[in-house]
Amino acid sequence: MTLFLLALSVNAANLDDLGYTTTGGKVIITDCDEAATGELVIPQIIEGNPVTSIGEEVFSSCVSLKGITIGNGVTNIGEGAFKACRSLESITIPDSVTSIGDGAFQDSSLKQIIFKGVAPEGGYDAFKGLRYEVIAYVTDEARSSF
């Protein structure tokens, strides 16, 4: 049993896999370790400051992430943030997100997109190149925390 639990922790991405900057008391996710694998939760708060933005092309080289849950409070997903994420199958986007940049999910391998609450407007080609079988859900769980 211990061996099984150890295997799970090795396959889960965590806060240590993220690079970020804090400006004016707000956190912007700026980088992701290319070796990050499995599921990643982007937290609502890092070092006591709210996470409000995911920068441009942050996850474009993180080719082994399978799923991402974005914490409530993030308002902006930058241009190309998840572009060409070849293993990314699912993402959960809170209703706090009001802006999705151009090409944010372009050519990724998404199969499932969950919008918690209202689906925000996407920039030019935000979802271009996604497979036809991708399923997007809009839930009524607005402003829930995770």
Side-chain angles (χ1 to χ4, degrees):
M1 183 118 165
T2 304
L3 209 69
F4 178 70
L5 292 174
L6 179 62
L8 280 178
S9 65
V10 170
N11 291 324
N14 61 49
L15 183 58
D16 293 336
D17 292 314
L18 296 176
Y20 55 89
T21 61
T22 304
T23 305
K26 296 179 181 180
V27 175
I28 299 169
I29 304 297
T30 58
D31 191 32
C32 178
D33 185 342
E34 292 178 14
T37 62
E39 304 286 323
L40 173 68
V41 175
I42 298 172
Q44 293 181 44
I45 296 173
I46 296 177
E47 296 181 358
N49 296 300
V51 178
T52 60
S53 187
I54 297 171
E56 295 181 5
E57 298 183 17
V58 171
F59 294 94
S60 62
S61 60
C62 293
V63 297
S64 296
L65 287 174
K66 297 282 185 198
I68 295 177
T69 299
I70 300 172
N72 198 28
V74 171
T75 58
N76 179 58
I77 297 173
E79 276 187 36
F82 301 94
K83 184 177 182 176
C85 286
R86 300 290 182 211
S87 295
L88 186 61
E89 296 179 353
S90 68
I91 190 157
T92 301
I93 301 171
D95 107 316
S96 60
V97 172
T98 57
S99 170
I100 297 177
D102 296 347
F105 298 98
Q106 184 174 345
D107 298 325
S108 69
S109 295
L110 281 173
K111 294 179 183 176
Q112 176 178 283
I113 304 167
I114 299 172
F115 294 102
K116 297 276 190 172
V118 178
E121 283 193 34
Y124 181 75
D125 288 340
F127 298 96
K128 182 180 179 179
L130 294 186
R131 298 175 178 163
Y132 288 108
E133 64 267 14
V134 70
I135 298 173
Y137 299 96
V138 179
T139 70
D140 61 359
E141 299 175 39
R143 305 222 187 275
S144 65
S145 55
F146 38 87

